[in-house]
Amino acid sequence: MKVLVCISSVPDTTTKINFTPDNKSFVTQGVQFIINPYDEIALTRALELTEKDGGTVTVINVGDATTEPVIRKALAVGATDAVRVNAGPRDAFFVARQIAGYASNQNFDLILCGRESIDYNGAQVPAMIAELLGIPSVSVCKKLEIAGKTAIAEREIEGGKEIVECPLPMVVSASEGMAEPRIPNMRGIMSARTKPLAVVEPVDTPKNIEVIIYDKPKPRSEVKLIAPDKVEELVDLLHTQARVI
Amino acid sequence: MAKTDLFQSPDYYQIDELLTDEHKLVRNSVREWVKREVSPIIEEYAQRAEFPKHLIKGLAEIGAFGPYIPQEYGGGGLDQISYGLIMQEIERGDSGIRSTASVQSSLVMYPIYTYGSDEQRKKYLPKLATGEWMGCFGLTEPNFGSNPGGMLTNIKDKGDHVVLNGSKMWISNAPFADIAVVWAKDEEGVIRGLIVERGMKGFSTPETHGKWSLRASATGELVFDNVKVPKENILPNVKGLKGPLGCLNSARYGIAWGAIGAAMDCYDTALRYSKERIQFGKPIGAFQLQQKKLAEMITEITKAQLLAWRLGVLKNENRATPQQISMAKRNNVNMALEITRDARQMLGGMGITGEYPIMRHMMNLESVITYEGTHDIHLLITGMDVTGLNAFGG
């Protein structure tokens, strides 16, 4: 089985987010980047499936050269080879176009993505890739099994779960539970040094979306502590200042 | 109950920019492994004074055993900075676990690789790299610690084998080690290295109990009572004290990095606590005396990081002198110990409990400041280096 896994490079979850003075772009200086955690789940499942039944796992990333450490980690974890589309991931359609463009003549049996990236949280790329390639997609899956040329995927729905069957090739987006991400071991890190990482140029894509501004949530206001025996003061403040009673 | 490890590594001087992508991948992988495998269980094992033996396989997989030994012998083929970062991250978890890795890498695999025959390398190194075999290192004796040259352990030539007699003390990994690299004097009084295997008649490894330090690491004695050791187990390529001292250089270098890990863990814990603990209506981090402690901690950690990084560069170029290594080991371990004490005070009563890692690190570092050359001996090494005058006894 030939699997393509789409990986994004995203800021580490503990990053303090700052924007440029014009509030139009994210300040990346001093930020540690990681593989998008949902993509890591997808990658791990791809490795499990190919280890069981044989096959290859290619990882693809749309990004400039600064994302290569994240790609190397994916190779260290066990991916066979990697492709980097040499362009900033401008918006979801742009990214989906690049991935679909690459995948269109590669005969992948399965394209696995994370359910969404944890930075911009658009959750659009997987379905867009499928649409552009004219193949089915199932999103936000918690389980994925492959039997021959058919995938069985499990999705969580309100009050229960949904199990779907779908012929390959297809796109699946992964959620928590599909696999437990692996830590690269030393052998993997050493072998990642020599695994192929191809750099391809992007295909032209119309720009439909323009970011007007980013804004951070207002900082939380200070907490006012009131002594336990001052119930009247609390009631008074809730009434006169918070105006909730 | 297993606790979530919230550790965030400080990097006040953007020292990450001095590291390669591979260094960072190695470090981050070990950090993740420590968070997943060590942090949740280490307190319990330390309280029980038990070595978590199940970690050996994982330690091998993350490259903690012989990271700088060439790949053809099962090692990682990584550079010295990667080795240092691995030690830093493991000691961030616990000095005892780092000790196990240090001993295996620098005191067992290093001498076999550096002083051993090719047969010895092929026989032992691959199995030591995977953790299938664990090793220990016998140099210190009950009456010869800082003065190892006075050792009494000896070998007598009996044709195709030697007979080993004597005892070694304070040996990390001894209770479970499969092999021991042992230093003993021959009939001419020349120090030789031998590989002693568990099961050889007359060789025993009684465990040392009652430690208040490195409780999650197994320590013991090595006792040799007329042990017949085949001559092919003698390390052929070194004679004299420079053999064990070469090993110690490698281990001390790793400790200089490791101590930074313990210091970072205490700093990170104290910093987080100082923002959460409210006294007199505000977080204790808002008080000058607490800020002084935190500011000094991060200053000292940053200095230690730079010292270790520079030493790593020199070591990669084979230019690090034993004296430079002594300085880094001495400075960084002392730095870490001071930080544990300040961090402990910041946490008040909570600082003495197993809810937080500080007291465990503090107790561990009391061993680390003593083993592999005491704090005072390293001072004398620097003193002798700058004055040219020997202030050691004798």
Side-chain angles (χ1 to χ4, degrees):
Chain A
M1 187 166 59
K2 212 174 151 191
V3 185
L4 180 69
V5 179
C6 310
I7 59 169
S8 294
S9 169
V10 298
D12 186 35
T13 44
T14 56
T15 305
K16 290 198 177 86
I17 303 295
N18 286 305
F19 297 106
T20 49
D22 65 359
N23 276 336
K24 289 204 168 193
S25 37
F26 167 57
V27 178
T28 57
Q29 202 190 355
V31 173
Q32 197 176 346
F33 284 86
I34 57 170
I35 300 182
N36 178 41
Y38 293 116
D39 301 346
E40 219 171 358
I41 293 170
L43 172 62
T44 312
R45 188 62 192 142
L47 295 169
E48 289 169 358
L49 289 169
T50 51
E51 280 161 9
K52 196 164 66 118
D53 303 326
T56 58
V57 175
T58 301
V59 289
I60 186 166
N61 166 260
V62 180
D64 61 22
T66 61
T67 66
E68 289 200 1
V70 157
I71 300 173
R72 285 278 168 220
K73 184 184 174 187
L75 293 170
V77 170
T80 319
D81 58 359
V83 178
R84 179 171 68 79
V85 181
N86 190 24
R90 203 171 67 202
D91 56 48
F93 182 60
F94 179 84
V95 172
R97 273 274 294 222
Q98 306 312 321
I99 294 169
Y102 172 77
S104 60
N105 57 2
Q106 298 285 323
N107 298 319
F108 288 108
D109 299 296
L110 176 66
I111 299 178
L112 265 164
C113 307
R115 60 180 285 179
E116 63 191 83
S117 65
I118 61 157
D119 48 5
Y120 296 95
N121 304 83
Q124 299 180 82
V125 172
M128 281 183 179
I129 295 170
E131 182 66 18
L132 288 166
L133 291 171
I135 57 174
S137 81
V138 181
S139 60
V140 198
C141 298
K142 292 180 82 72
K143 280 188 186 169
L144 176 68
E145 295 295 340
I146 305 291
K149 283 281 170 194
T150 307
I152 312 276
E154 189 178 306
R155 305 179 67 248
E156 202 169 65
I157 55 170
E158 189 66 39
K161 61 185 179 185
E162 177 185 69
I163 297 172
V164 298
E165 188 183 279
C166 185
L168 300 181
M170 69 177 300
V171 178
V172 171
S173 81
S175 185
E176 295 97 333
M178 187 183 277
E180 179 69 21
R182 295 176 183 178
I183 298 170
N185 60 29
M186 189 181 55
R187 303 258 159 267
I189 293 171
M190 300 307 289
S191 66
R193 280 181 181 172
T194 51
K195 284 182 178 175
L197 194 171
V199 179
V200 300
E201 290 308 313
V203 292
D204 281 342
T205 305
K207 191 174 184 182
N208 300 324
I209 290 177
E210 182 85 39
V211 172
I212 300 168
I213 199 161
Y214 290 112
D215 202 3
K216 288 202 278 189
K218 287 201 177 75
R220 270 190 270 177
S221 57
E222 274 195 25
V223 174
K224 187 159 193 165
L225 293 170
I226 294 155
D229 54 350
K230 300 270 172 62
V231 178
E232 282 165 22
E233 190 187 339
L234 175 66
V235 173
D236 184 50
L237 286 171
L238 288 172
H239 182 61
T240 56
Q241 286 195 12
R243 293 182 187 185
V244 291
I245 54 171
Chain B
M1 193 183 78
K3 292 189 290 275
T4 309
D5 181 350
L6 301 170
F7 176 72
Q8 280 185 51
S9 154
D11 184 14
Y12 203 74
Y13 263 35
Q14 280 103 48
I15 291 164
D16 265 19
E17 291 172 16
L18 299 172
L19 305 176
T20 64
D21 289 339
E22 191 172 278
H23 290 149
K24 284 183 270 192
L25 181 55
V26 167
R27 183 202 52 198
N28 295 348
S29 302
V30 180
R31 182 172 296 164
E32 231 176 297
W33 180 80
V34 167
K35 282 193 174 192
R36 205 184 277 188
E37 302 291 337
V38 180
S39 304
I41 56 108
I42 192 64
E43 184 60 36
E44 202 185 313
Y45 277 86
Q47 294 277 4
R48 284 210 307 261
E50 185 183 335
F51 172 65
K53 240 183 150 180
H54 68 278
L55 293 180
I56 286 176
K57 187 166 175 280
L59 281 165
E61 280 173 3
I62 56 155
F65 298 156
Y68 53 81
I69 299 291
Q71 284 182 291
E72 60 177 307
Y73 296 108
L78 296 169
D79 74 350
Q80 290 292 323
I81 291 181
S82 296
Y83 169 50
L85 289 165
I86 293 171
M87 295 300 112
Q88 172 188 296
E89 293 305 316
I90 297 175
E91 190 145 4
R92 212 275 302 166
D94 188 78
S95 306
I97 308 301
R98 198 270 305 138
S99 298
T100 290
S102 282
V103 169
Q104 183 86 341
S105 296
S106 287
L107 302 183
V108 180
M109 295 177 74
Y110 174 87
I112 293 173
Y113 175 70
T114 312
Y115 312 132
S117 65
D118 208 46
E119 292 73 37
Q120 289 169 340
R121 290 173 169 190
K122 283 182 181 145
K123 179 177 176 188
Y124 296 104
L125 293 176
K127 285 187 170 148
L128 291 164
T130 59
E132 185 184 338
W133 283 351
M134 293 300 292
C136 64
F137 176 87
L139 176 65
T140 297
E141 298 186 359
N143 293 314
F144 296 93
S146 293
N147 175 26
M151 69 174 67
L152 299 175
T153 300
N154 62 83
I155 48 173
K156 291 207 164 45
D157 194 331
K158 299 283 178 189
D160 64 341
H161 66 274
V162 293
V163 170
L164 173 65
N165 276 293
S167 66
K168 301 286 182 181
M169 207 175 180
W170 305 122
I171 311 301
S172 295
N173 297 359
F176 57 80
D178 301 286
I179 65 165
V181 171
V182 176
W183 302 92
K185 280 184 180 164
D186 66 14
E187 282 146 298
E188 280 78 50
V190 178
I191 294 173
R192 300 300 306 265
L194 310 92
I195 303 166
V196 181
E197 298 179 18
R198 185 172 293 281
M200 286 180 171
K201 198 161 173 255
F203 172 40
S204 59
T205 60
E207 186 160 358
T208 305
H209 294 288
K211 294 179 298 170
W212 285 115
S213 178
L214 300 180
R215 288 172 61 82
S217 161
T219 312
E221 292 170 52
L222 305 177
V223 180
F224 312 106
D225 179 12
N226 287 313
V227 182
K228 275 185 176 180
V229 182
K231 276 194 173 162
E232 65 256 29
N233 282 29
I234 296 176
L235 299 173
N237 301 324
V238 75
K239 284 182 180 173
L241 205 53
K242 68 174 185 288
L245 293 185
C247 307
L248 294 178
N249 268 329
S250 180
R252 288 167 180 173
Y253 166 77
I255 294 169
W257 282 89
I260 299 171
M264 281 178 169
D265 201 36
C266 293
Y267 165 75
D268 181 62
T269 304
L271 178 63
R272 190 172 310 109
Y273 190 84
S274 77
K275 293 175 185 172
E276 291 167 358
R277 171 73 172 166
I278 310 285
Q279 287 291 280
F280 303 105
K282 54 183 178 179
I284 61 168
F287 292 99
Q288 288 186 349
L289 284 174
Q290 307 310 323
Q291 287 192 3
K292 175 178 188 286
K293 293 190 187 81
L294 290 167
E296 286 177 350
M297 284 182 204
I298 190 62
T299 307
E300 290 307 315
I301 287 171
T302 304
K303 284 152 70 178
Q305 284 177 304
L306 288 166
L307 202 64
W309 174 80
R310 176 62 187 154
L311 189 62
V313 172
L314 290 171
K315 209 152 186 311
N316 276 342
E317 296 167 355
N318 271 325
R319 293 197 295 140
T321 65
Q323 292 80 3
Q324 287 170 329
I325 294 169
S326 279
M327 181 185 282
K329 191 270 183 185
R330 181 176 188 275
N331 180 79
N332 289 9
V333 176
N334 190 59
M335 170 282 300
L337 195 47
E338 298 284 341
I339 284 177
T340 63
R341 289 169 180 159
D342 274 349
R344 216 289 305 148
Q345 288 207 33
M346 288 185 65
L347 267 75
M350 290 310 289
I352 67 161
T353 71
E355 284 295 303
Y356 294 90
I358 295 174
M359 195 90 183
R360 179 168 47 82
H361 282 308
M362 187 198 292
M363 296 196 297
N364 282 342
L365 287 163
E366 289 291 345
S367 291
V368 181
I369 204 166
T370 300
Y371 70 22
E372 308 267 354
T374 67
H375 190 61
D376 287 344
I377 288 290
H378 285 300
L379 183 87
L380 296 183
I381 290 171
T382 308
M384 187 163 85
D385 196 38
V386 295
T387 63
L389 302 168
N390 183 344
F392 293 90

